[in-house]
């Protein structure tokens, strides 16, 4: 890096991936966070015995290698919820998710300072338009929580900018004066939308809107519809006394399909509950697989398998399978483009309706949209592009910088 660097660090702290950038001599410079990569997974791993917290790909590699410890992902989803400040024994020490987010942000700051030679006192952080769709108090609390984490991580001040509005700044170069565009930012935890209009080279935001829905919800839906039946979801238990049967409680499967809740299933109480159900299970083999997942702590391995299956099926005519061989040799769940679309069908409606609401707030008709700009990894789902083609049939679809548009726009905003 050279001179004239901004002292403000732009940070896209995402549910699934994070990135940092600065303005260096008037140019956006993304800061490599690991192995020259401009993004890194928002994931952490705490070894069971010794060693410090690992983040990003190193955290995922520890999970793949079968190292003993605690893997955690989708930390951002806990902001504004009671789960954020619940202390649990993690890596030999009682920690809350708030503590872990703080440590993660501190590591981003340290790596950015090492890479640039600068000292960053201020952060400009992206945030979704809505952390929580319909709860204003919880939405405000989420920003308060995140601000506290930034300050505890060593920043003296932090400002926030809506992520789709940052993406609009980064997308301005491809638009002509007078053009109206729609940003569709589907991340790991939220879906955000901004309608923008170009005035010369300046971006004017006409309206922004968002809902709490993202890639982790897609994973959850696929897991519940394709995988959990193989672990006993929907099966029954014989009554200990009397005739008839009872359903296996669904809550454990719901949590196992939820990224941020997986680490908290590995308790003696949960394992004991499943062990007590086994002798009563009508389909004991399936419930035995659930027990294996909990005892061997395979929840995240299963979630990654679901994610891979979802991505593989996201193609015209695609047919794949969700591999579960770690649980039982040869075990797999079939997934096709059709079954994927069926699992996500209600989400498509929500995304289209949220985008339409953004257009209404912007007082803009769908046919006025020149281009729809897709941002965030989950915007690459075919379901999303189909819904936007239905809503804005005359617009062009642009996938330019889906993974870095937000951090680029945040860096540009540090100049103002």
């Amino acid at each position: 890096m050279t001179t004239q660097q901004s002292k403000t660090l732009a940070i896209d702290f995402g549910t699934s991936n994070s990135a940092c950038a600065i303005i260096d001599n008037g140019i956006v410079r993304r800061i490599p966070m690991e192995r020259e990569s401009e993004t890194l997974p928002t994931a952490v791993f705490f070894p069971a015995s010794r060693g410090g917290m690992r983040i990003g790909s190193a955290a995922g590699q520890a999970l793949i290698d079968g190292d003993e410890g605690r893997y955690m992902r989708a930390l951002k989803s806990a902001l504004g919820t009671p789960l954020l400040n619940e202390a649990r024994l993690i890596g030999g020490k009682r920690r809350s998710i708030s503590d872990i987010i703080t440590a993660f942000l501190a590591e981003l700051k340290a790596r950015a300072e090492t890479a640039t030679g600068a000292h960053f006192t201020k952060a400009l952080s992206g945030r979704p338009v809505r952390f929580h769709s319909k709860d204003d108090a919880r939405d405000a609390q989420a920003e308060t929580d995140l601000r506290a984490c930034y300050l505890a991580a060593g920043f003296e001040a932090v400002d926030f900018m809506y992520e789709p509005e940052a993406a609009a700044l980064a997308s301005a170069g491809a638009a002509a004066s007078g053009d109206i565009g729609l940003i569709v930012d589907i991340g790991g935890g939220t879906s955000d939308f901004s309608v923008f209009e170009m005035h010369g080279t300046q971006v004017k935001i006409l309206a922004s809107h968002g809902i709490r829905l993202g890639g982790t919800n897609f994973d959850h839906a696929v897991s519940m519809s394709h995988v959990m039946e193989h672990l006993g979801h929907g099966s029954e238990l014989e009554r200990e006394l009397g005739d008839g049967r009872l359903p296996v409680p669904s809550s454990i499967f719901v949590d196992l399909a939820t990224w941020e809740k997986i680490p908290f299933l590995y308790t003696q109480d949960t394992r004991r509950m499943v062990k007590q159900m086994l002798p009563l299970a009508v389909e004991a083999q399936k419930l035995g697989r659930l027990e294996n997942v909990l005892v061997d702590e395979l929840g995240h391995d299963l979630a990654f398998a679901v994610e891979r299956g979802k991505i593989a099926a996201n193609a015209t005519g695609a047919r794949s399978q969700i591999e579960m061989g770690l649980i039982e040799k040869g075990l797999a769940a079939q997934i096709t483009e059709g079954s994927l679309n069926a699992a996500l069908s209600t989400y498509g409606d929500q995304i289209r309706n949220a985008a339409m609401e953004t257009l209404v707030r912007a007082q803009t008709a769908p046919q006025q949209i020149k281009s729809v700009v897709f941002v965030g990894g989950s915007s690459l789902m075919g379901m999303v592009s189909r819904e936007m083609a239905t809503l804005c049939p005359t617009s062009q679809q642009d996938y330019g910088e889906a993974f870095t548009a937000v951090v680029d726009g945040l860096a540009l905003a540090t100049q103002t």
Side-chain angles (χ1 to χ4, degrees), residues 207-267:
S208 295
H209 180 52
I211 56 175
R212 187 179 172 91
L213 173 69
T216 55
N217 301 98
F218 302 163
D219 292 346
H220 183 276
V222 172
S223 187
M224 293 299 294
S225 61
H226 290 74
V227 168
M228 291 303 159
E229 64 175 305
H230 297 281
L231 305 184
H233 183 238
S235 63
E236 296 179 311
L237 305 171
E238 300 285 0
R239 290 182 183 270
E240 291 187 87
L241 298 173
D243 299 328
R245 294 173 176 174
L246 297 170
V248 174
S250 63
S251 59
I252 189 170
F253 301 101
V254 172
D255 287 354
L256 188 58
T258 305
W259 277 100
E260 66 268 26
K261 293 185 178 180
I262 292 171
F264 303 111
L265 283 172
Y266 304 140
T267 66

Side-chain angles (χ1 to χ4, degrees), residues 1-3 5 22 24 29-32 115-117:
M1 296 285 175
T2 57
T3 59
Q5 298 167 344
I22 61 170
D24 185 19
R29 301 292 187 192
R30 301 172 198 145
I31 302 171
T116 64

